Amino acid sequence: MRCLVTGATGYVGGRLVPRLLGAGHDVRCLTRDARRLRDVPWAGQVEIVTGDVSDPATLPPAFAGVDVVYYLVHSLGRGDFEDVDRANAANAAAAARAAGVGRIVYLGGPVPTGRGGSALRRRGAGSAHLRSRTEVADILLASGVPTVVLRAAVIIGSGSASFEMLRYLTERLPVMVTPSWVRNRIQPIAIRDVLRYLVEAADAFPPEVNRAFDIGGPDVLTYTALMRRYAAVAGLRRRLIVPVRPLTPKLSALWVGLVTPVPNAIARPLVASLIHEAVAAEHDIARYIPDPPPGLTGFDDAVRLALRRVRDAEVETRWSTAAWADTPSEPLPTDPTWSGGTAYTDTRERPVRAPADDLWRVIESIGGEHGWYSFPLAWSVRGWLDRLVGGVGLRRGRRDPQRLQVGEALDFWRVEEILPGSLLRLRAEMRLPGRAWLEMRVCPERGARRDSDRGDVGEAERSRYRQRAVFLPKGLAGHAYWACVWPFHALVFGGMARNIARAAERTGSRSSPAPVSR
């Protein structure tokens, strides 16, 4: 089938497209800026059409010849998002009807249940976010094109705004004074199950089906339980949560904005929607899309998948490879900058008046007797402290003074990746409230050359040294740790980059690099 995905650069859309391709569908993506899809791995497998659902004139080429339209466009984050979403949905509905589209699939929000549920179910009263989702669903259902609306509450996956709020609040606050709505019940669903429903919806329903379906995972929990179970899965200490009635949704949103990097314009409507319970009232979707044999993904397993952080410091590489096909719960490059948890980095770069192979010799011989090229006392003290708390310290040294292999120990690091002449990535094995990597790269400069007849370095022969330290904190202690060591980075990491470059320039290709102290 030919599927049109609107919102392909968004959280769900970016994960849906490769799964539709994997299911054998032809995919067309509608985007306002084709450059945003230029570097995704599947760009060459889809048709990309430039257009905007807010501009009806741009829609006919995108909707022409399409069997199924996935409507995944939302304007949350704008003050007038209700008006914008209403107009956009009407434009898309009209374009789908004019093009003779066979099916619209829309991922919407839940219908509130529980306290005041009868009034809230009318149109999500009290929450602009839920009210807008319900209104968009109604517009599409009334379009004259058979429509399936999938109503999901909190989606568990890195990059989902609701999950990121949960992640940051739980990791950063061991003790929380919270609004009373943390006692409300919620039925979260894993992103992998959401994507499964969306893919199957392309051809699972007969033409006469035109309705909404509730979708949710197997667990119904309070928000308090969500935070405590997240802490348990993440390996954090049990969180103390004290509900306080006077905290209004507006105050709650300001509090979320202070504690988390989720923009206040997004946090405010999401927090307002949490004052209502969101539990599936039916599971009719199973008539058309049966549950998988192992069952839907439980909350704890969904969190584990979302927390499967990359195993190396090259976060972007992991995002653009395995994450696309295998781990939809992990971040993607098109996710917002505040998603995926905190990753602190220290990046240094220096030009080197030496060829790339000489610079690589210095890098590959680092550690052990050669040291770490900056402030030896600081490295020694860090090693002593690590041993005091039961860590490995610097006592392991290195196996060979000149050559490294993936998987071997290097002082209190482990060689995680080595691309000869190009990249050395080390994973920290010292005791830390989080995980850390140190990455060193060699980048040959264009025009670099060696005067082979004279045996010396020509003026044009240069290279560039790039160094990056990455730290993924665990809990409040991790953030505090980074804040404490950050003032020393200019001395330690800055000196390291400077002295590695000097060692390469001084050593050339005639001898092994000597240790540099400062």
Side-chain angles (χ1 to χ4, degrees):
M1 303 185 75
R2 180 174 293 278
C3 302
L4 171 66
V5 178
T6 65
T9 59
Y11 170 64
V12 175
R15 289 159 170 80
L16 174 62
V17 170
R19 284 158 183 79
L20 289 173
L21 291 170
H25 298 297
D26 295 326
V27 179
R28 178 184 294 167
C29 297
L30 174 66
T31 178
R32 287 176 294 182
D33 186 352
R35 292 175 298 179
R36 294 189 63 190
L37 294 176
R38 181 187 60 196
D39 297 324
V40 297
W42 39 262
Q45 304 174 55
V46 302
E47 179 186 358
I48 298 175
V49 177
T50 302
D52 191 341
V53 290
S54 67
D55 183 358
T58 66
L59 300 183
F63 283 73
V66 167
D67 301 303
V68 181
V69 170
Y70 285 93
Y71 190 74
L72 305 173
V73 176
H74 298 302
S75 304
L76 199 63
R78 311 178 38 150
D80 60 345
F81 73 87
E82 286 188 86
D83 294 334
V84 173
D85 279 349
R86 183 186 308 115
N88 289 348
N91 292 338
R97 183 172 57 250
V101 170
R103 167 76 59 194
I104 297 174
V105 180
Y106 170 60
L107 179 62
V111 173
T113 59
R115 302 181 184 94
S118 59
L120 297 171
R121 275 190 289 271
R122 286 197 297 269
R123 297 191 71 81
S127 166
H129 167 56
L130 297 182
R131 185 170 58 243
S132 177
R133 296 294 184 267
T134 302
E135 186 172 20
V136 169
D138 290 346
I139 291 171
L140 297 176
L141 288 167
S143 65
V145 177
T147 298
V148 165
V149 176
L150 302 178
R151 298 188 296 213
V154 173
I155 296 178
I156 305 299
S158 185
S160 161
S162 297
F163 177 73
E164 296 301 337
M165 284 177 20
L166 172 69
R167 180 209 299 266
Y168 284 107
L169 288 173
T170 308
E171 289 188 351
R172 295 187 173 183
L173 297 177
V175 179
M176 287 177 264
V177 177
T178 62
S180 58
W181 50 252
V182 296
R183 296 172 176 154
N184 290 344
R185 297 180 307 150
I186 300 171
Q187 190 168 354
I189 183 170
I191 180 61
R192 59 164 47 188
D193 290 331
V194 172
L195 293 170
R196 176 177 170 273
Y197 281 131
L198 287 169
V199 172
E200 294 292 331
D203 53 14
F205 299 94
E208 64 271 15
V209 174
N210 186 67
R211 56 161 291 187
F213 296 89
D214 290 342
I215 59 172
D219 300 311
V220 177
L221 305 164
T222 65
Y223 207 82
T224 297
L226 293 182
M227 290 189 283
R228 285 179 173 158
R229 285 174 66 165
Y230 176 94
V233 173
L236 305 172
R237 292 183 178 180
R238 180 179 172 85
R239 272 27 192 168
L240 178 60
I241 301 171
V242 182
V244 177
R245 184 172 295 275
L247 283 175
T248 65
K250 186 175 182 179
L251 290 174
S252 299
L254 292 174
W255 164 65
V256 170
L258 288 173
V259 175
T260 81
V262 178
N264 190 259
I266 294 177
R268 190 183 306 114
L270 289 179
V271 167
S273 67
L274 291 174
I275 65 176
H276 309 309
E277 293 195 331
V279 178
E282 42 82 13
H283 191 52
D284 296 348
I285 189 77
R287 299 177 189 171
Y288 305 96
I289 306 175
D291 294 348
L296 297 171
T297 309
F299 175 76
D300 291 356
D301 287 338
V303 171
R304 289 189 187 96
L305 290 168
L307 294 182
R308 279 175 52 186
R309 296 179 188 269
V310 290
R311 295 175 59 87
D312 54 57
E314 188 65 28
V315 175
E316 296 84 358
T317 298
R318 180 67 172 270
W319 284 359
S320 63
T321 54
W324 290 105
D326 302 320
T327 51
S329 302
E330 293 183 7
L332 296 184
T334 50
D335 288 344
T337 55
W338 43 262
S339 67
T342 302
Y344 293 113
T345 62
D346 182 282
T347 303
R348 310 278 170 169
E349 183 171 331
R350 291 188 68 86
V352 182
R353 293 171 56 88
D357 55 351
D358 291 339
L359 176 57
W360 176 250
R361 287 190 183 94
V362 175
I363 291 174
E364 193 177 10
S365 64
I366 199 167
E369 294 183 357
H370 289 136
W372 293 88
Y373 293 89
S374 70
F375 204 178
L377 179 61
W379 287 94
S380 296
V381 169
R382 184 64 184 88
W384 298 335
L385 292 174
D386 193 54
R387 294 189 65 179
L388 284 175
V389 296
V392 297
L394 292 170
R395 66 182 183 271
R396 296 187 301 185
R398 53 179 294 155
R399 176 189 57 83
D400 181 279
Q402 302 296 333
R403 296 289 179 263
L404 292 174
Q405 297 177 359
V406 171
E408 69 178 344
L410 175 59
D411 291 333
F412 48 36
W413 304 90
R414 178 78 58 180
V415 179
E416 187 167 86
E417 181 63 273
I418 182 167
L419 302 177
S422 175
L423 167 69
L424 173 62
R425 182 179 303 127
L426 306 175
R427 184 181 71 250
E429 292 194 337
M430 71 280 282
R431 292 294 182 93
L432 291 169
R435 296 195 286 167
W437 295 263
L438 179 61
E439 182 181 88
M440 291 163 275
R441 287 183 179 273
V442 176
C443 302
E445 297 276 61
R446 290 184 179 180
R449 59 177 175 80
R450 176 180 294 277
D451 190 334
S452 57
D453 294 333
R454 294 174 54 191
D456 60 2
V457 177
E459 188 65 26
E461 190 165 10
R462 300 172 183 267
S463 55
R464 183 166 293 272
Y465 173 66
R466 290 175 180 167
Q467 173 183 298
R468 182 169 69 149
V470 179
F471 180 64
L472 302 181
K474 181 179 180 181
L476 188 61
H479 296 280
Y481 172 82
W482 181 264
C484 290
V485 301
W486 180 81
F488 300 99
H489 283 183
L491 184 62
V492 176
F493 288 130
M496 183 178 177
R498 180 173 60 253
N499 291 326
I500 285 177
R502 288 176 178 174
E505 292 171 349
R506 183 178 60 252
T507 302
S509 61
R510 291 182 290 273
S511 63
S512 299
V516 181
S517 61
R518 293 184 70 87

